[in-house]
Amino acid sequence: MKTLNDYKAALEAYLEALPISGAPDILRQAMRYSLLAGGKRLRGCLLLAAADMAGEGGESALPFAAALEMIHAYSLIHDDLPAMDNDTLRRGKPTSHVVYGEAVAILAGDALLTHAFETMLKSDHPRALPAILEIAAAAGVGGMLAGQTLDVTNEGETPNKELVLRIHEGKTAALLTAPVTAGLILGGADNGLVRAGRAYGYHLGLAFQIVDDLLDLKGDPALMGKTLGKDLEEKKLTWPACVGESQARRDAETHIRAAADAFAPYGDRALFFRDLAFSTLNRTH
Amino acid sequence: MKTLNDYKAALEAYLEALPISGAPDILRQAMRYSLLAGGKRLRGCLLLAAADMAGEGGESALPFAAALEMIHAYSLIHDDLPAMDNDTLRRGKPTSHVVYGEAVAILAGDALLTHAFETMLKSDHPRALPAILEIAAAAGVGGMLAGQTLDVTNEGETPNKELVLRIHEGKTAALLTAPVTAGLILGGADNGLVRAGRAYGYHLGLAFQIVDDLLDLKGDPALMGKTLGKDLEEKKLTWPACVGESQARRDAETHIRAAADAFAPYGDRALFFRDLAFSTLNRTH
């Protein structure tokens, strides 16, 4: 069985060599700066593993895995802009607009999004179209962009479960579900397996975001010791702020069990996915 | 023969009724504010006419025409942002970021781009994939985004023909060529006709931009009477600034003749396109 590291290595090599032809130098540089900035590559690896699970060996799913990483990178560039979260550091490096200026950062985000589609459309994969649609819908107005909009426009609101759930479904779960469903579709999976993959991705995504929120509480020295109180006080739109820290941890565990259960009928074929789900609970970064 | 107004009416009705499902209200409003702000609908109408010319009657090309208008609208929203051109008015109305704030304007642009792809992918058109690829490539790093980047990063440079041509090829010609080629592909045209359409769109696009530049000179009261000198003085990246006003007009005429010539072998079938090309020279807005 291939491991997460196997998929990650193949994907990194593909991204490093990705053609970005016709782009002015500064645009290509800005795109690569954000695209090759490391990270877990969780979205791309999930897609490769899902295509594998459905019986698609080899390289044919790589353009789609790369596209997911491009979409993730674009969303981070635009998220970090002064008009949005105004972040100057990401993964220890200056954010795109700090390095290239706001105008080029906006364009680099636009370019990564567009190039994601161009790369998938050029793949010549026989099941490209339904797979691209999964990814477009997850990145679109009913998915990631719904989450981003609700997040940005409700800043400072008192957190409530319904709102926070909608934000997490959009911002996180949609783009962890699409890799699984798109990968399965590329691999020729039947409807039942794609349905199981959709449930898996949804619950993995929600668990992932809750664990993220919990890690943020612990990771921020300013919050040390007064975690939940501070989060509530700042009205951050996190799950722990809605239900408390220990309930949030229990909810993450419930989602992980639901994710694993979704793939239970597929036994050893789904081992990668069950392992990944349980490892999410033990994330430290 | 259908007229530009016939196509425009069909397209406006389609855009007005376009589903944007799952989007938070504010995002849907911001998308519709820019998408339904009027304009010539040249890109969408070109696509409908090209699909017609190749034998595709009816409604099946509308999602693609709408997608082009969404891509055009997204590019204008991002172009108008404070970090880019910092425009507060477009077609006499406040720009998106003035009405909705910068964060929602950025997201509305992202959403229109993504929704363009989602709309095309959901069309179920048998020739969707190669048509979407034409549009993605035109909007992408080798097309519109190349032009935008060169424009933004060379502001204040002394205009030269090579640079200005590359900007116009990207910013204008790419997104006037793709409607023609994508429309022809949707209609089932053979390679020869698509090739002719590519030449037509390219020359129409360059002529269109030169006429735009000339109209800008005349339309801006501050420039009245000192048109070219002022343009050169401000180092605007326009064609008249490179070659002078009367040579620019001659170049526009040359491009229009080249556009018409490209479709000459197709006789009356291409009448719509030849009429449109010549009318470009007489634009007043």
Side-chain angles (χ1 to χ4, degrees), chain B residues 196 199-201 203-204 254-264 273-274 277:
Chain B
Y200 172 87
H203 289 293
L204 179 75
T254 304
H255 282 302
I256 287 303
R257 265 195 308 277
D261 284 353
F263 269 155
F273 291 94
R274 284 201 302 278

Side-chain angles (χ1 to χ4, degrees), chain A residues 9-221:
Chain A
L11 181 51
E12 290 290 354
Y14 186 87
L15 290 172
E16 178 58 52
L18 184 80
I20 308 181
S21 51
D25 285 345
I26 187 74
L27 184 63
R28 183 188 294 105
Q29 281 167 32
M31 290 167 76
R32 287 174 57 88
Y33 179 81
S34 293
L35 185 59
L36 303 176
K40 290 181 285 292
R41 305 296 188 198
L42 186 56
R43 291 153 192 82
C45 290
L46 274 170
L47 185 137
L48 295 175
D52 249 357
M53 179 185 177
E56 177 95 347
E59 316 267 282
S60 68
L62 278 166
F64 301 83
L68 280 163
E69 295 298 329
M70 285 187 255
I71 289 170
H72 185 51
Y74 121 75
S75 76
L76 299 181
I77 295 176
H78 283 190
D79 244 19
D80 289 337
L81 287 168
M84 308 277 278
D85 290 351
N86 196 19
D87 278 321
T88 55
L89 281 177
R90 174 166 297 275
R91 297 190 191 117
K93 289 170 64 184
T95 47
S96 182
H97 64 272
V98 171
V99 178
Y100 296 100
E102 265 188 77
V104 172
I106 293 167
L107 291 169
D110 294 346
L112 283 164
L113 174 57
T114 314
H115 209 55
F117 285 106
E118 202 175 332
T119 302
M120 292 188 284
L121 290 160
K122 281 184 174 157
S123 70
D124 264 335
H125 194 291
R127 285 176 291 271
L129 207 138
I132 305 174
L133 179 53
E134 283 289 315
I135 292 167
V141 296
M144 186 178 76
L145 286 162
Q148 303 276 53
T149 304
L150 291 171
D151 199 11
V152 161
T153 56
N154 286 288
E155 217 180 315
E157 294 289 314
T158 303
N160 69 77
K161 286 168 73 172
E162 194 195 354
L163 173 63
V164 171
L165 179 62
R166 282 186 69 196
I167 292 173
H168 290 182
E169 284 175 347
K171 281 191 77 163
T172 318
L175 272 192
L176 287 175
T177 303
V180 183
T181 51
L184 291 172
I185 288 167
L186 290 169
D190 62 24
N191 289 342
L193 181 47
V194 174
R195 208 156 40 233
R198 200 176 299 285
Y200 172 87
Y202 176 78
H203 289 292
L204 178 75
L206 292 183
F208 190 88
Q209 184 60 55
I210 294 172
V211 173
D212 227 43
D213 289 349
L214 289 165
L215 286 169
D216 270 357
L217 285 176
K218 296 202 173 105
D220 185 342

